[in-house]
Amino acid sequence: MPDAAPVLAALSSCIQCKLHRDELAQVAVTEVAKALPQAGWVGVYWLHGDTLELGPYVGPATEHTRIPVGTGVCGTAVAEDKDQVVPDVRARENYLACSARTRSEIVVLIRSNGKVVGQLDLDSDQVDAFGKDDHGFLRMVAGAVGNLLPMMPSGVSADDSAAPKAE
Ligand code: SME
C-alpha cells in the first residue's frame, strides 16, 4: 500500500495554516497523484445538493465540471452510497468519458460527520490500475479530508459554495 503517513501529515498541516477546504483538497489531489503515478487524473468533486461540482484536480481539464447524482461513475457512487472501482470503463454503460484513453477509474467517497460531502476520483490509462491496497490508501486520505473539513474556516457544509476564502 502507498505510504499514507506523509499525505496525512500534509493534510493536517492545512489546519494549522487555516486554509480553505479547496486548498485542503488541492493538497490531497497533489499528494495522491504523487503516490499513485498510474493515475493520469486525480480530482475532488464536492457534493452540492444533488450535483457534484468539480474542485481541485491534477491532470487535463475535463468537461465534466458538474455531474448530477445518479449519473456516470461519480454520480453512481453518491446514489448508491458506495465507492466505485471500475477495472475497465469500456464495460461500464453509464461511464462519462473525460479522455478516450482512460481505461480504469476509482471513486472514493468523502464523508464528514457521517454525511457524504464529496469524493476523490482517479482515472488511469491502464486497465485495472487500482487494487485493494490503492483503495485502502484512498479511503485513508478521504477519511482524513472528511475529518479535517469541520475544522476548516469554510466548515463542512455541502452548501457552503459561497463561503469566503480564508484570509
Ligand atoms: N468518468 C467520470 C466523470 C469524471 S471524469 O472521469 C474526470 C464518471 O463517469 O462519472
Side-chain angles (χ1 to χ4, degrees), residues 41-48 51-76 89 92-102 105 107 119-123:
W41 194 91
V42 180
V44 163
Y45 283 93
W46 296 119
L47 184 62
H48 291 269
T51 304
L52 288 161
E53 295 183 3
L54 183 61
Y57 61 92
V58 175
T62 173
E63 65 186 277
H64 301 297
T65 56
R66 290 169 59 83
I67 301 174
V69 169
T71 300
V73 177
C74 294
T76 299
V89 296
R92 185 78 175 238
E93 273 179 18
N94 62 352
Y95 167 68
L96 299 174
C98 283
S99 158
R101 290 200 302 273
T102 298
E105 177 164 13
V107 173
Q119 58 185 220
L120 285 167
D121 178 25
L122 282 75
D123 290 346

Side-chain angles (χ1 to χ4, degrees), residues 9-82:
L11 290 170
S12 297
S13 70
C14 292
I15 295 308
Q16 282 145 23
C17 302
K18 292 195 160 71
L19 298 181
H20 184 267
R21 72 174 188 174
D22 265 348
E23 293 169 294
L24 177 72
Q26 182 68 58
V27 171
V29 296
T30 302
E31 293 295 324
V32 165
K34 273 194 260 174
L36 299 179
Q38 71 270 43
W41 194 91
V42 180
V44 163
Y45 283 93
W46 296 119
L47 184 62
H48 291 269
D50 56 6
T51 304
L52 288 161
E53 295 183 3
L54 183 61
Y57 61 92
V58 175
T62 173
E63 65 186 277
H64 301 297
T65 56
R66 290 169 59 83
I67 301 174
V69 169
T71 300
V73 177
C74 294
T76 299
V78 179
E80 295 184 355
D81 193 25
K82 196 174 163 222

